[in-house]
Amino acid sequence: MDYQAWLKFQHDQSITRLFANISPWDAVPGVVIASPERNSPNYYFHWVRDAALTMDLVTSLYLDSQGSRRQSLREKLMEYARFSRRNQLSPTRSGIGEPKFNVDGTGYGLDWCRPQNDGPALRALTLIRFANDLLDHGEVDLVRSSLYGAQLPANTVVKADLEYVSHHWKDMNCEIWEEVQGDHFYTRLVQKSALMAGSLLARRLGDVAASAWYESRAHMIQPELFWDQSKGVFVPSLNVKGETKNKSSGLDSQVVLAILHAGSQSGISVADARVMDTVRTLKDRFASLYSINRIPGAAGVAIGRYPEDIYDGGDWKGGNPWVLITAAFASMHYLQAAELAEQGRLAKARAHFNEGDLFLKRLQYHANPDGSLSEQFHRDTGFMMSARDLTWSHAEFVQAVRHRRASRKLLAAPGE
Ligand code: NOJ
Ligand code: NOJ
């Protein structure tokens, strides 16, 4: 299939498959399963991070839609908000930072790397976008009663997350790959953005003291500390405790996801020279790491979590490239293209746009013909593997297509 036709096909497939993973029949409404896969790996759970990132895309779709579609997406967002509040109130082993829930809303009671403090920040970021739109439409009472009320102790979902983030951002916790305890760039960056967005929402609702408090905490978070001058990259973690997973390279794609997911409120621009350097260094490392990146005639580079990774979804036979990360690298290049275009640097902008396309063309090369996307694809054979129809893979792919569309308009580039 030609690239443009595939983009359209895969986009529509990803939307359908993503919605199939929201509130499946045997789950409480508002659940976002990480994948329909229940065996090796069993991903039939509501992960706070995956769910928030998925519902952030749903928020964008909601903001773009009208009529009955808008109504139905709004109901899904309300269900997600209600389920999230229920998660906060469930007895769990790590409270608000609990990373994953059973589909009946009870906490996952077994051992796990916890707490994961990116979760409450991402959940707040998503629901704050929703809340702001409701306020734009005059729905103050609904926002106060179901998303952000000023009362303390907090009795609404966003307020509870913001209180947690503002009081616990310094705490040691587990990172997004659920392996390393310490302080993390991804977590800190999304915490900073959540506090900035939370401060604005609080002010909008007249909760002036809380607004000042959230803002003051946001200013205390210093993502610059993670810049490693000698390696020329943002490193993922500092003050690592216990097992280190031998991550000696200091290279980890989660720092690129951080910039994307924290958005412009984090204070670090996609066009920051340090971000550009980090992205390039990671790309070069993965280009040489996986043999599929040397297939003659296959465009672009497949990107994984970090070079030392050995998690393959079941056994520990070696790390692989991930769909969601390769898509996120495309998004990063499209966003950089848009930023460069706005600065009037058109030739450079076009080059970044084309580089973004190469990551999506790489996904096209390995994607299943039926439109399903898994978590990983094998580093030597290129076949999809690990959790099938990972919700986050579909969400990150759709985000890439959306970023592509936005920067294409600025560049007057052809196609989808
Ligand atoms: C499952 C996690 O989701 C994955 O990221 C991790 O590598 C393994 N558990 C090992 O902790
Ligand atoms: C493993 C990933 O490392 C983690 O980030 C994710 O939340 C879970 N899988 C569920 O998709």
Side-chain angles (χ1 to χ4, degrees), residues 139-153:
E139 305 219 48
V140 186
D141 293 344
L142 179 62
V143 170
R144 283 192 204 282
S145 61
S146 56
L147 296 171
Y148 185 103
Q151 302 87 328
L152 289 176

mmCIF file with all atom_site columns, all heavy atoms in Angstrom, residues 139-153:
data_model
loop_
_atom_site.group_PDB
_atom_site.id
_atom_site.type_symbol
_atom_site.label_atom_id
_atom_site.label_alt_id
_atom_site.label_comp_id
_atom_site.label_asym_id
_atom_site.label_entity_id
_atom_site.label_seq_id
_atom_site.pdbx_PDB_ins_code
_atom_site.Cartn_x
_atom_site.Cartn_y
_atom_site.Cartn_z
_atom_site.occupancy
_atom_site.B_iso_or_equiv
_atom_site.pdbx_formal_charge
_atom_site.auth_seq_id
_atom_site.auth_comp_id
_atom_site.auth_asym_id
_atom_site.auth_atom_id
_atom_site.pdbx_PDB_model_num
ATOM 1   N N   . GLU A 1 139 ? -19.910 25.296 32.344 1.00 0.00 ? 139 GLU A N   1
ATOM 2   C CA  . GLU A 1 139 ? -20.317 24.200 33.242 1.00 0.00 ? 139 GLU A CA  1
ATOM 3   C C   . GLU A 1 139 ? -19.524 24.205 34.555 1.00 0.00 ? 139 GLU A C   1
ATOM 4   O O   . GLU A 1 139 ? -18.886 23.209 34.914 1.00 0.00 ? 139 GLU A O   1
ATOM 5   C CB  . GLU A 1 139 ? -20.172 22.877 32.514 1.00 0.00 ? 139 GLU A CB  1
ATOM 6   C CG  . GLU A 1 139 ? -20.936 22.879 31.203 1.00 0.00 ? 139 GLU A CG  1
ATOM 7   C CD  . GLU A 1 139 ? -21.598 21.564 30.927 1.00 0.00 ? 139 GLU A CD  1
ATOM 8   O OE1 . GLU A 1 139 ? -22.262 21.032 31.844 1.00 0.00 ? 139 GLU A OE1 1
ATOM 9   O OE2 . GLU A 1 139 ? -21.440 21.073 29.805 1.00 0.00 ? 139 GLU A OE2 1
ATOM 10  N N   . VAL A 1 140 ? -19.620 25.313 35.255 1.00 0.00 ? 140 VAL A N   1
ATOM 11  C CA  . VAL A 1 140 ? -18.831 25.493 36.474 1.00 0.00 ? 140 VAL A CA  1
ATOM 12  C C   . VAL A 1 140 ? -19.226 24.480 37.550 1.00 0.00 ? 140 VAL A C   1
ATOM 13  O O   . VAL A 1 140 ? -18.363 23.896 38.212 1.00 0.00 ? 140 VAL A O   1
ATOM 14  C CB  . VAL A 1 140 ? -19.012 26.933 37.012 1.00 0.00 ? 140 VAL A CB  1
ATOM 15  C CG1 . VAL A 1 140 ? -18.093 27.185 38.202 1.00 0.00 ? 140 VAL A CG1 1
ATOM 16  C CG2 . VAL A 1 140 ? -18.746 27.941 35.919 1.00 0.00 ? 140 VAL A CG2 1
ATOM 17  N N   . ASP A 1 141 ? -20.522 24.262 37.728 1.00 0.00 ? 141 ASP A N   1
ATOM 18  C CA  . ASP A 1 141 ? -20.962 23.354 38.801 1.00 0.00 ? 141 ASP A CA  1
ATOM 19  C C   . ASP A 1 141 ? -20.462 21.934 38.573 1.00 0.00 ? 141 ASP A C   1
ATOM 20  O O   . ASP A 1 141 ? -20.031 21.261 39.514 1.00 0.00 ? 141 ASP A O   1
ATOM 21  C CB  . ASP A 1 141 ? -22.493 23.340 38.906 1.00 0.00 ? 141 ASP A CB  1
ATOM 22  C CG  . ASP A 1 141 ? -23.015 24.685 39.392 1.00 0.00 ? 141 ASP A CG  1
ATOM 23  O OD1 . ASP A 1 141 ? -22.193 25.474 39.917 1.00 0.00 ? 141 ASP A OD1 1
ATOM 24  O OD2 . ASP A 1 141 ? -24.225 24.947 39.226 1.00 0.00 ? 141 ASP A OD2 1
ATOM 25  N N   . LEU A 1 142 ? -20.546 21.507 37.324 1.00 0.00 ? 142 LEU A N   1
ATOM 26  C CA  . LEU A 1 142 ? -20.081 20.153 37.007 1.00 0.00 ? 142 LEU A CA  1
ATOM 27  C C   . LEU A 1 142 ? -18.584 20.013 37.310 1.00 0.00 ? 142 LEU A C   1
ATOM 28  O O   . LEU A 1 142 ? -18.145 19.030 37.914 1.00 0.00 ? 142 LEU A O   1
ATOM 29  C CB  . LEU A 1 142 ? -20.347 19.834 35.527 1.00 0.00 ? 142 LEU A CB  1
ATOM 30  C CG  . LEU A 1 142 ? -19.892 18.455 35.052 1.00 0.00 ? 142 LEU A CG  1
ATOM 31  C CD1 . LEU A 1 142 ? -20.640 17.355 35.798 1.00 0.00 ? 142 LEU A CD1 1
ATOM 32  C CD2 . LEU A 1 142 ? -20.104 18.313 33.544 1.00 0.00 ? 142 LEU A CD2 1
ATOM 33  N N   . VAL A 1 143 ? -17.801 21.008 36.925 1.00 0.00 ? 143 VAL A N   1
ATOM 34  C CA  . VAL A 1 143 ? -16.361 20.955 37.180 1.00 0.00 ? 143 VAL A CA  1
ATOM 35  C C   . VAL A 1 143 ? -16.101 20.922 38.686 1.00 0.00 ? 143 VAL A C   1
ATOM 36  O O   . VAL A 1 143 ? -15.318 20.099 39.175 1.00 0.00 ? 143 VAL A O   1
ATOM 37  C CB  . VAL A 1 143 ? -15.638 22.151 36.515 1.00 0.00 ? 143 VAL A CB  1
ATOM 38  C CG1 . VAL A 1 143 ? -14.184 22.234 36.968 1.00 0.00 ? 143 VAL A CG1 1
ATOM 39  C CG2 . VAL A 1 143 ? -15.710 22.018 34.995 1.00 0.00 ? 143 VAL A CG2 1
ATOM 40  N N   . ARG A 1 144 ? -16.777 21.789 39.428 1.00 0.00 ? 144 ARG A N   1
ATOM 41  C CA  . ARG A 1 144 ? -16.544 21.842 40.885 1.00 0.00 ? 144 ARG A CA  1
ATOM 42  C C   . ARG A 1 144 ? -16.935 20.545 41.578 1.00 0.00 ? 144 ARG A C   1
ATOM 43  O O   . ARG A 1 144 ? -16.299 20.117 42.523 1.00 0.00 ? 144 ARG A O   1
ATOM 44  C CB  . ARG A 1 144 ? -17.361 22.967 41.503 1.00 0.00 ? 144 ARG A CB  1
ATOM 45  C CG  . ARG A 1 144 ? -16.793 24.334 41.284 1.00 0.00 ? 144 ARG A CG  1
ATOM 46  C CD  . ARG A 1 144 ? -17.533 25.325 42.217 1.00 0.00 ? 144 ARG A CD  1
ATOM 47  N NE  . ARG A 1 144 ? -17.466 26.683 41.716 1.00 0.00 ? 144 ARG A NE  1
ATOM 48  C CZ  . ARG A 1 144 ? -16.391 27.471 41.837 1.00 0.00 ? 144 ARG A CZ  1
ATOM 49  N NH1 . ARG A 1 144 ? -15.319 27.030 42.436 1.00 0.00 ? 144 ARG A NH1 1
ATOM 50  N NH2 . ARG A 1 144 ? -16.422 28.706 41.346 1.00 0.00 ? 144 ARG A NH2 1
ATOM 51  N N   . SER A 1 145 ? -18.020 19.920 41.111 1.00 0.00 ? 145 SER A N   1
ATOM 52  C CA  . SER A 1 145 ? -18.483 18.728 41.828 1.00 0.00 ? 145 SER A CA  1
ATOM 53  C C   . SER A 1 145 ? -17.774 17.462 41.377 1.00 0.00 ? 145 SER A C   1
ATOM 54  O O   . SER A 1 145 ? -17.615 16.526 42.151 1.00 0.00 ? 145 SER A O   1
ATOM 55  C CB  . SER A 1 145 ? -19.999 18.565 41.659 1.00 0.00 ? 145 SER A CB  1
ATOM 56  O OG  . SER A 1 145 ? -20.292 18.399 40.286 1.00 0.00 ? 145 SER A OG  1
ATOM 57  N N   . SER A 1 146 ? -17.307 17.417 40.132 1.00 0.00 ? 146 SER A N   1
ATOM 58  C CA  . SER A 1 146 ? -16.763 16.128 39.697 1.00 0.00 ? 146 SER A CA  1
ATOM 59  C C   . SER A 1 146 ? -15.302 16.154 39.273 1.00 0.00 ? 146 SER A C   1
ATOM 60  O O   . SER A 1 146 ? -14.713 15.092 39.094 1.00 0.00 ? 146 SER A O   1
ATOM 61  C CB  . SER A 1 146 ? -17.616 15.540 38.572 1.00 0.00 ? 146 SER A CB  1
ATOM 62  O OG  . SER A 1 146 ? -17.694 16.460 37.518 1.00 0.00 ? 146 SER A OG  1
ATOM 63  N N   . LEU A 1 147 ? -14.700 17.324 39.131 1.00 0.00 ? 147 LEU A N   1
ATOM 64  C CA  . LEU A 1 147 ? -13.294 17.339 38.714 1.00 0.00 ? 147 LEU A CA  1
ATOM 65  C C   . LEU A 1 147 ? -12.408 18.112 39.688 1.00 0.00 ? 147 LEU A C   1
ATOM 66  O O   . LEU A 1 147 ? -11.443 17.570 40.217 1.00 0.00 ? 147 LEU A O   1
ATOM 67  C CB  . LEU A 1 147 ? -13.165 17.912 37.296 1.00 0.00 ? 147 LEU A CB  1
ATOM 68  C CG  . LEU A 1 147 ? -13.841 17.087 36.200 1.00 0.00 ? 147 LEU A CG  1
ATOM 69  C CD1 . LEU A 1 147 ? -13.848 17.847 34.875 1.00 0.00 ? 147 LEU A CD1 1
ATOM 70  C CD2 . LEU A 1 147 ? -13.142 15.738 36.014 1.00 0.00 ? 147 LEU A CD2 1
ATOM 71  N N   . TYR A 1 148 ? -12.711 19.355 39.906 1.00 0.00 ? 148 TYR A N   1
ATOM 72  C CA  . TYR A 1 148 ? -11.878 20.158 40.801 1.00 0.00 ? 148 TYR A CA  1
ATOM 73  C C   . TYR A 1 148 ? -12.728 20.985 41.754 1.00 0.00 ? 148 TYR A C   1
ATOM 74  O O   . TYR A 1 148 ? -13.291 22.013 41.376 1.00 0.00 ? 148 TYR A O   1
ATOM 75  C CB  . TYR A 1 148 ? -10.959 21.101 39.991 1.00 0.00 ? 148 TYR A CB  1
ATOM 76  C CG  . TYR A 1 148 ? -9.994  21.881 40.868 1.00 0.00 ? 148 TYR A CG  1
ATOM 77  C CD1 . TYR A 1 148 ? -8.659  21.521 40.965 1.00 0.00 ? 148 TYR A CD1 1
ATOM 78  C CD2 . TYR A 1 148 ? -10.435 22.975 41.635 1.00 0.00 ? 148 TYR A CD2 1
ATOM 79  C CE1 . TYR A 1 148 ? -7.783  22.214 41.793 1.00 0.00 ? 148 TYR A CE1 1
ATOM 80  C CE2 . TYR A 1 148 ? -9.573  23.677 42.460 1.00 0.00 ? 148 TYR A CE2 1
ATOM 81  C CZ  . TYR A 1 148 ? -8.250  23.300 42.541 1.00 0.00 ? 148 TYR A CZ  1
ATOM 82  O OH  . TYR A 1 148 ? -7.393  23.980 43.366 1.00 0.00 ? 148 TYR A OH  1
ATOM 83  N N   . GLY A 1 149 ? -12.831 20.531 42.993 1.00 0.00 ? 149 GLY A N   1
ATOM 84  C CA  . GLY A 1 149 ? -13.443 21.333 44.044 1.00 0.00 ? 149 GLY A CA  1
ATOM 85  C C   . GLY A 1 149 ? -12.324 21.808 44.973 1.00 0.00 ? 149 GLY A C   1
ATOM 86  O O   . GLY A 1 149 ? -11.325 21.114 45.141 1.00 0.00 ? 149 GLY A O   1
ATOM 87  N N   . ALA A 1 150 ? -12.511 22.975 45.583 1.00 0.00 ? 150 ALA A N   1
ATOM 88  C CA  . ALA A 1 150 ? -11.423 23.554 46.385 1.00 0.00 ? 150 ALA A CA  1
ATOM 89  C C   . ALA A 1 150 ? -11.263 22.897 47.754 1.00 0.00 ? 150 ALA A C   1
ATOM 90  O O   . ALA A 1 150 ? -10.241 23.084 48.428 1.00 0.00 ? 150 ALA A O   1
ATOM 91  C CB  . ALA A 1 150 ? -11.663 25.056 46.546 1.00 0.00 ? 150 ALA A CB  1
ATOM 92  N N   . GLN A 1 151 ? -12.261 22.130 48.188 1.00 0.00 ? 151 GLN A N   1
ATOM 93  C CA  . GLN A 1 151 ? -12.241 21.572 49.551 1.00 0.00 ? 151 GLN A CA  1
ATOM 94  C C   . GLN A 1 151 ? -10.997 20.749 49.840 1.00 0.00 ? 151 GLN A C   1
ATOM 95  O O   . GLN A 1 151 ? -10.513 20.026 48.993 1.00 0.00 ? 151 GLN A O   1
ATOM 96  C CB  . GLN A 1 151 ? -13.449 20.641 49.795 1.00 0.00 ? 151 GLN A CB  1
ATOM 97  C CG  . GLN A 1 151 ? -14.796 21.266 49.613 1.00 0.00 ? 151 GLN A CG  1
ATOM 98  C CD  . GLN A 1 151 ? -15.273 21.208 48.158 1.00 0.00 ? 151 GLN A CD  1
ATOM 99  O OE1 . GLN A 1 151 ? -14.480 21.252 47.210 1.00 0.00 ? 151 GLN A OE1 1
ATOM 100 N NE2 . GLN A 1 151 ? -16.564 21.140 47.980 1.00 0.00 ? 151 GLN A NE2 1
ATOM 101 N N   . LEU A 1 152 ? -10.548 20.861 51.099 1.00 0.00 ? 152 LEU A N   1
ATOM 102 C CA  . LEU A 1 152 ? -9.481  19.997 51.606 1.00 0.00 ? 152 LEU A CA  1
ATOM 103 C C   . LEU A 1 152 ? -9.983  19.329 52.878 1.00 0.00 ? 152 LEU A C   1
ATOM 104 O O   . LEU A 1 152 ? -10.633 19.994 53.678 1.00 0.00 ? 152 LEU A O   1
ATOM 105 C CB  . LEU A 1 152 ? -8.221  20.814 51.919 1.00 0.00 ? 152 LEU A CB  1
ATOM 106 C CG  . LEU A 1 152 ? -7.457  21.358 50.700 1.00 0.00 ? 152 LEU A CG  1
ATOM 107 C CD1 . LEU A 1 152 ? -6.293  22.237 51.157 1.00 0.00 ? 152 LEU A CD1 1
ATOM 108 C CD2 . LEU A 1 152 ? -6.926  20.218 49.836 1.00 0.00 ? 152 LEU A CD2 1
ATOM 109 N N   . PRO A 1 153 ? -9.681  18.045 53.119 1.00 0.00 ? 153 PRO A N   1
ATOM 110 C CA  . PRO A 1 153 ? -8.995  17.175 52.173 1.00 0.00 ? 153 PRO A CA  1
ATOM 111 C C   . PRO A 1 153 ? -9.769  17.043 50.863 1.00 0.00 ? 153 PRO A C   1
ATOM 112 O O   . PRO A 1 153 ? -10.996 17.103 50.856 1.00 0.00 ? 153 PRO A O   1
ATOM 113 C CB  . PRO A 1 153 ? -8.921  15.830 52.898 1.00 0.00 ? 153 PRO A CB  1
ATOM 114 C CG  . PRO A 1 153 ? -9.787  15.943 54.109 1.00 0.00 ? 153 PRO A CG  1
ATOM 115 C CD  . PRO A 1 153 ? -10.072 17.378 54.360 1.00 0.00 ? 153 PRO A CD  1
#
